[in-house]
Amino acid sequence: MINIQEIDKLTEQFYAAISFNQEHYPQFDHLQELFYGAGKLINNNYDQPIDFTVQSYAQAVMKQIEDGSSSFYSQQEISDNTEVFGNTAQRVSVYEYSFSAETSQPWTRGVNFIQYIYTEGQWRIVSMVWTDEKDDLVIPETYLL
């Protein structure tokens, strides 16, 4: 029997693992455990996609933390739609994030398409591709239901 709640929890753990502040580093050791294999993360916000494995993503973020260019990041899912077929699933995950602990600024929103597989008795993330909302690219209302 398929349990969507397991995918919900896995996705929540992903967003929690990449969030950090000055007192708490991202949980990159835990992040690798959420993925199948090396994982694939693609930031599709630019003219050319930025392609990461879990390890290269963690290295890029840690470099920003260590050089002082980033001291806070929080991301959370605000809406989702998950489809499952057998041992394969995909999710439209609408997120919001901020690089500042200051809450008066609106958080940036975006859409993350996440693929999962069920293997060895548990769901794992295989890949994800995300794009932030922009003035000329608005998140469809159907994604926010």
Side-chain angles (χ1 to χ4, degrees):
M1 180 161 158
I2 297 165
N3 186 345
I4 298 287
Q5 290 174 333
E6 292 175 21
I7 295 173
D8 292 343
K9 182 177 179 188
L10 177 60
T11 306
E12 183 180 322
Q13 289 174 331
F14 166 76
Y15 287 123
I18 64 171
S19 297
F20 61 90
N21 58 38
Q22 291 180 327
E23 289 82 36
H24 301 286
Y25 277 145
Q27 302 166 7
F28 288 135
D29 290 343
H30 180 59
L31 185 64
Q32 183 64 63
E33 298 168 7
L34 306 178
F35 280 79
Y36 178 79
K40 187 160 197 75
L41 300 90
I42 300 175
N43 179 342
N44 205 28
N45 281 305
Y46 307 101
D47 290 340
Q48 292 295 315
I50 303 173
D51 190 353
F52 300 99
T53 62
V54 172
Q55 183 178 1
S56 66
Y57 178 82
Q59 289 169 340
V61 172
M62 286 306 295
K63 183 178 183 303
Q64 292 176 338
I65 293 170
E66 290 166 359
D67 70 17
S69 62
S70 188
S71 62
F72 179 91
Y73 182 76
S74 182
Q75 185 171 15
Q76 62 189 12
E77 186 174 62
I78 59 173
S79 183
D80 67 86
N81 181 25
T82 303
E83 297 177 345
V84 178
F85 184 76
N87 290 333
T88 306
Q90 67 178 2
R91 185 179 188 105
V92 177
S93 174
V94 180
Y95 59 81
E96 63 180 5
Y97 70 87
S98 178
F99 286 104
S100 171
E102 174 59 49
T103 58
S104 65
Q105 294 294 328
W107 287 29
T108 303
R109 300 187 317 173
V111 176
N112 194 354
F113 290 93
I114 308 173
Q115 293 75 43
Y116 309 81
I117 61 170
Y118 189 79
T119 181
E120 299 177 2
Q122 57 192 350
W123 287 100
R124 290 287 171 248
I125 299 169
V126 175
S127 63
M128 60 180 58
V129 180
W130 68 90
T131 303
D132 293 346
E133 186 174 46
K134 301 168 184 65
D135 290 338
D136 62 343
L137 184 63
V138 178
I139 297 171
E141 285 299 318
T142 56
Y143 287 8
L144 297 168
L145 300 176

Short mmCIF file of all heavy atoms in Angstrom, two decimals, residues 46 55 59 63 68 80 97 118 141:
data_model
loop_
_atom_site.label_atom_id
_atom_site.label_comp_id
_atom_site.label_asym_id
_atom_site.label_seq_id
_atom_site.Cartn_x
_atom_site.Cartn_y
_atom_site.Cartn_z
N TYR A 46 18.28 30.30 -14.36
CA TYR A 46 19.18 31.11 -15.18
C TYR A 46 19.13 30.65 -16.64
O TYR A 46 18.50 29.65 -16.96
CB TYR A 46 20.60 31.03 -14.62
CG TYR A 46 20.64 31.38 -13.15
CD1 TYR A 46 20.70 30.37 -12.18
CD2 TYR A 46 20.56 32.69 -12.71
CE1 TYR A 46 20.70 30.68 -10.82
CE2 TYR A 46 20.56 33.01 -11.36
CZ TYR A 46 20.63 32.00 -10.42
OH TYR A 46 20.63 32.30 -9.09
N GLN A 55 26.34 16.06 -3.15
CA GLN A 55 27.66 16.46 -2.65
C GLN A 55 28.08 17.82 -3.20
O GLN A 55 28.55 18.68 -2.44
CB GLN A 55 28.71 15.40 -3.00
CG GLN A 55 30.08 15.73 -2.45
CD GLN A 55 31.11 14.66 -2.75
OE1 GLN A 55 30.82 13.66 -3.38
NE2 GLN A 55 32.32 14.87 -2.28
N GLN A 59 28.69 21.31 -1.11
CA GLN A 59 29.96 22.03 -1.20
C GLN A 59 29.75 23.48 -1.59
O GLN A 59 30.38 24.39 -1.04
CB GLN A 59 30.90 21.34 -2.19
CG GLN A 59 31.42 20.01 -1.68
CD GLN A 59 32.14 19.20 -2.76
OE1 GLN A 59 31.97 19.41 -3.95
NE2 GLN A 59 32.93 18.24 -2.31
N LYS A 63 30.61 26.64 0.89
CA LYS A 63 31.55 27.68 0.45
C LYS A 63 30.96 29.06 0.70
O LYS A 63 31.65 29.96 1.19
CB LYS A 63 31.88 27.50 -1.03
CG LYS A 63 32.90 28.49 -1.54
CD LYS A 63 33.23 28.23 -3.01
CE LYS A 63 34.29 29.16 -3.53
NZ LYS A 63 33.98 30.57 -3.41
N GLY A 68 31.32 33.86 4.12
CA GLY A 68 30.51 34.91 4.73
C GLY A 68 29.44 35.50 3.84
O GLY A 68 28.75 36.44 4.24
N ASP A 80 1.50 21.25 -2.35
CA ASP A 80 2.08 20.11 -3.08
C ASP A 80 0.99 19.30 -3.76
O ASP A 80 -0.18 19.36 -3.38
CB ASP A 80 2.86 19.20 -2.13
CG ASP A 80 1.95 18.51 -1.12
OD1 ASP A 80 1.41 17.44 -1.44
OD2 ASP A 80 1.77 19.05 -0.02
N TYR A 97 11.05 30.74 0.18
CA TYR A 97 12.34 30.79 0.88
C TYR A 97 12.76 32.23 1.14
O TYR A 97 12.26 33.16 0.52
CB TYR A 97 13.44 30.06 0.11
CG TYR A 97 13.87 30.75 -1.16
CD1 TYR A 97 14.87 31.72 -1.15
CD2 TYR A 97 13.30 30.43 -2.38
CE1 TYR A 97 15.28 32.35 -2.30
CE2 TYR A 97 13.69 31.05 -3.55
CZ TYR A 97 14.69 32.01 -3.51
OH TYR A 97 15.07 32.64 -4.66
N TYR A 118 10.66 4.14 -4.74
CA TYR A 118 10.53 3.32 -3.54
C TYR A 118 11.48 2.14 -3.70
O TYR A 118 11.35 1.35 -4.64
CB TYR A 118 9.09 2.83 -3.38
CG TYR A 118 8.82 2.18 -2.06
CD1 TYR A 118 8.60 2.94 -0.92
CD2 TYR A 118 8.80 0.79 -1.95
CE1 TYR A 118 8.35 2.34 0.31
CE2 TYR A 118 8.55 0.19 -0.73
CZ TYR A 118 8.33 0.96 0.40
OH TYR A 118 8.09 0.37 1.61
N GLU A 141 -2.44 28.93 -10.26
CA GLU A 141 -3.33 28.75 -9.11
C GLU A 141 -3.54 27.26 -8.81
O GLU A 141 -3.67 26.87 -7.65
CB GLU A 141 -4.67 29.44 -9.34
CG GLU A 141 -4.62 30.95 -9.20
CD GLU A 141 -4.20 31.40 -7.80
OE1 GLU A 141 -4.67 30.82 -6.80
OE2 GLU A 141 -3.39 32.34 -7.71
#
